[in-house]
Amino acid sequence: MSDSQAHRKPSEIDPHRSWFDELASRTQEVISRDYFFITLVVLTAIWAPSYFLMHSVDHWYKAFVLPAEIVTLFMVALMANHDRRSEKALHRKVDALASALAAIVEDSTDEDVRRQATELRAAVGLEDRESTDDN
């Protein structure tokens, strides 16, 4: 991602999302609801007594765990996409607020206010420059 693309203004963002972004948003909407959790509890409750039908612990275990692992992997990928987009949007909003506030207070005669305006401008795009190793 280029520097100019990483620091686009919120008004420059295309409102149309890819099919993957739409799928991630819809998945996040479904799995964050209480009825999804209740469905998982019910499925687990139905699965538990199925042991007596399978006659083998290995088959019984695999009949539930393998599909659950595959679905979990897909859900994690979709949720990570959704979280990434949400975080980027949040940073753009905060950057726009910081830029606007810095522009307002920049012309102040108070030296401390102007210093804070400089800090606000420096904060724009900070998420692209800051390291987890910074103290």
Side-chain angles (χ1 to χ4, degrees):
M1 182 181 296
S2 70
D3 244 5
S4 63
Q5 193 177 19
H7 296 292
R8 290 187 295 173
K9 296 180 178 121
S11 60
E12 297 172 343
I13 303 301
D14 183 7
H16 302 290
R17 297 188 297 194
S18 71
W19 66 270
F20 186 75
D21 290 339
E22 286 295 327
L23 180 62
S25 291
R26 291 176 195 268
T27 300
Q28 177 75 18
E29 186 66 29
V30 169
I31 66 177
S32 66
R33 301 289 183 172
D34 56 348
Y35 62 82
F36 183 76
F37 178 78
I38 292 168
T39 302
L40 291 178
V41 170
V42 169
L43 286 174
T44 303
I46 292 171
W47 166 75
S50 69
Y51 166 75
F52 300 107
L53 299 174
M54 297 275 187
H55 304 296
S56 167
V57 172
D58 191 44
H59 289 109
W60 174 71
Y61 178 76
K62 287 179 182 176
F64 184 76
V65 172
L66 290 178
E69 288 176 350
I70 292 168
V71 169
T72 300
L73 180 64
F74 285 122
M75 286 186 347
V76 166
L78 291 169
M79 289 181 66
N81 173 273
H82 182 270
D83 290 346
R84 182 177 154 269
R85 284 185 301 105
S86 293
E87 183 180 349
K88 283 176 66 175
L90 181 62
H91 283 292
R92 284 194 174 105
K93 291 173 189 175
V94 171
D95 287 350
L97 285 170
S99 293
L101 186 57
I104 290 169
V105 300
E106 209 164 48
D107 296 329
S108 174
T109 57
D110 185 355
E111 182 62 34
D112 189 46
V113 172
R114 286 200 315 267
R115 189 172 32 256
Q116 294 303 325
T118 302
E119 286 299 316
L120 272 173
R121 290 228 184 263
V124 174
L126 184 62
E127 69 279 2
D128 295 328
R129 299 185 310 267
E130 190 170 38
S131 171
T132 56
D133 295 335
D134 289 347
N135 293 326

